[in-house]
Amino acid sequence: MGELTSKLTALPGGVMTDEVGVITGDLELRTRYDDDGTLTTEVRYDGAEEWYGLTGGDCKLYDERDHETVHTVLRNVLHRAPIETG
């Protein structure tokens, strides 16, 4: 099993979790790849102990080498700057 973590700051709308709903602010993202190809995604407040499941984030990977790419994409989507309109 492989595990990756990254820090991020959630967009103003926050990040939806399975257990507690939306969380905002400085967060950590953790992805874990199991031997059966399951990728589990979780977030927590930066420095906290309790992890929450990222709603809709779990998936099945068919190649372990994709773990880092999927983790990076998730982190970038959750951390990106809001779209400016005008």
Side-chain angles (χ1 to χ4, degrees), residues 23-38:
I23 60 175
T24 61
D26 294 331
L27 307 175
E28 290 180 79
L29 168 69
R30 174 171 70 182
T31 58
R32 292 180 293 153
Y33 180 82
D34 291 331
D35 293 334
D36 67 354
T38 301

Side-chain angles (χ1 to χ4, degrees), residues 37-57:
T38 301
L39 185 75
T40 304
T41 60
E42 299 171 303
V43 291
R44 70 176 175 184
Y45 291 105
D46 189 19
E49 291 187 25
E50 191 167 357
W51 291 93
Y52 306 112
L54 182 64
T55 301

Side-chain angles (χ1 to χ4, degrees), residues 65-79:
R65 295 173 294 182
D66 295 334
H67 179 195
E68 185 174 356
T69 300
V70 172
H71 178 90
T72 300
V73 168
L74 278 171
R75 186 236 174 246
N76 290 344
V77 167
L78 297 173
H79 184 73

